[in-house]
Amino acid sequence: MKPLKIILAVLIAMTSFPLFQTDQNDELIYYPLNEGNIAFLKVNETDIYLFNTGHEVDRQQILEQLGHWNNYNIRGIIITKIDEHNCGNLTFLAKKYLIDQLILPRSSQSCTIDQKGMQVIDLSREKSVQLTKHYEVNHYPSKQGKAGNIELKRNNFSAYWYETSSVNHKSDRATIVYIPSYIYEADLDISFLDKLDPRVAVIQEKAKKEQMRLLNDVFSKEWIEAFFLTNKLSVHIELGNNPYRIFLVRR
């Protein structure tokens, strides 16, 4: 891996890191929550895709953020792992908004919604889904039959949600790897990270600060640039015809 400067986002109020110039303003936003996990993909200044819906205790935070985008349509919700940290507000959001697609890593009675006209896609069968002309979602199932990993791709850009190292990863190098709230230092497989070879890691803040330090140590030793989501900072990736530009926004 090429050496990269390790930047602790927790120490930065609002900073911009222009890695490439872009020609349009699609945006992937990793948003900090108190308990669960969520990310927003804004496309064409009209549509939003949600990656997970957070925990029930995060509901007000999510509603406040969606309230800034009243002119957008929720085209789809992609669940990366079926549990309370990712599915907590799925039913609530389906009652409040019209949703075109629900994409799940596998079929589930506990993490689903019944909305007229909505398409439900089971990634354990489809493996890959084309969201738009430019974006696709790929699923890498676990070798052990448990939760696999999800990847968002646009040309050479890849955003990877880390759930397990027990998968057959056949994709290109990951641009960004996301470490959810329930993944700790002991859960990371260094040899698998070497295969992913990400340029950037986005890490959801942990309740135990010692885990923040341990995770930073892991990525520092691997020369991966690390950004920590805190209750005051979100990580934004601007996507266009060229790969990306990454910056932090203070809430």
Side-chain angles (χ1 to χ4, degrees):
M1 297 181 182
K2 295 181 180 179
L4 293 172
K5 184 179 179 182
I6 301 300
I7 300 175
L8 289 178
V10 70
L11 301 179
I12 302 172
M14 181 175 177
T15 311
S16 178
F17 300 92
L19 303 181
F20 296 92
Q21 284 297 106
T22 57
D23 297 323
Q24 64 187 61
N25 293 317
D26 289 359
E27 196 172 11
L28 177 62
I29 302 169
Y30 294 97
Y31 192 78
L33 296 176
N34 291 329
E35 186 69 26
N37 304 278
I38 198 168
F40 305 98
L41 175 64
K42 294 168 61 182
V43 179
N44 297 329
E45 299 184 353
T46 58
D47 300 331
I48 292 179
Y49 291 85
L50 275 63
F51 285 80
N52 300 312
T53 66
H55 193 282
E56 284 185 2
V57 300
D58 305 316
R59 183 167 298 170
Q60 191 57 38
Q61 289 176 273
I62 295 168
L63 286 177
E64 287 176 3
Q65 186 58 41
L66 288 174
H68 295 303
W69 301 323
N70 285 328
N71 57 327
Y72 281 75
N73 300 306
I74 298 181
R75 294 300 184 191
I77 294 178
I78 300 95
I79 301 296
T80 62
K81 182 182 180 182
I82 296 173
D83 68 4
E84 67 276 12
H85 294 90
N86 300 312
C87 298
N89 294 293
L90 180 60
T91 301
F92 175 82
L93 291 174
K95 291 178 180 178
K96 187 173 179 62
Y97 300 97
L98 288 175
I99 300 165
D100 291 347
Q101 283 184 324
L102 173 63
I103 301 173
L104 300 166
R106 56 179 174 81
S107 61
S108 168
Q109 295 298 317
S110 62
C111 184
T112 191
I113 46 179
D114 183 18
Q115 191 179 91
K116 186 177 180 180
M118 185 187 66
Q119 181 186 21
V120 179
I121 298 174
D122 180 350
L123 285 173
S124 67
R125 298 180 179 180
E126 299 292 336
K127 308 300 182 190
S128 180
V129 175
Q130 196 75 33
L131 292 183
T132 71
K133 178 181 178 181
H134 296 295
Y135 297 98
E136 68 179 22
V137 169
N138 299 317
H139 179 238
Y140 302 97
S142 169
K143 298 175 184 176
Q144 300 171 347
K146 299 179 181 179
N149 296 334
I150 297 289
E151 176 189 45
L152 173 69
K153 287 212 41 123
R154 177 191 167 112
N155 298 327
N156 293 325
F157 175 86
S158 165
Y160 200 88
W161 274 258
Y162 186 105
E163 298 289 350
T164 178
S165 61
S166 179
V167 297
N168 292 316
H169 180 74
K170 299 178 181 179
S171 184
D172 300 326
R173 177 184 185 183
T175 312
I176 294 172
V177 61
Y178 174 73
I179 308 300
S181 56
Y182 42 79
I183 296 291
Y184 292 90
E185 178 265 344
D187 301 316
L188 294 176
D189 184 319
I190 301 303
S191 63
F192 183 70
L193 282 177
D194 286 340
K195 291 178 183 178
L196 287 180
D197 195 18
R199 294 176 175 87
V200 174
V202 176
I203 304 168
Q204 177 66 47
E205 185 179 30
K206 313 300 180 188
K208 296 180 179 178
K209 300 303 179 184
E210 176 65 10
Q211 278 296 326
M212 301 277 279
R213 185 189 67 78
L214 290 173
L215 283 166
N216 181 65
D217 288 347
V218 169
F219 289 104
S220 176
K221 290 175 183 177
E222 293 297 307
W223 295 103
I224 299 169
E225 191 173 8
F227 294 88
F228 287 85
L229 295 177
T230 74
N231 61 359
K232 294 183 179 180
L233 289 173
S234 54
V235 177
H236 297 236
I237 297 95
E238 187 178 272
L239 301 167
N241 293 332
N242 290 310
Y244 65 92
R245 185 172 74 96
I246 185 167
F247 57 98
L248 307 177
V249 172
R250 185 178 180 88
R251 294 172 54 210

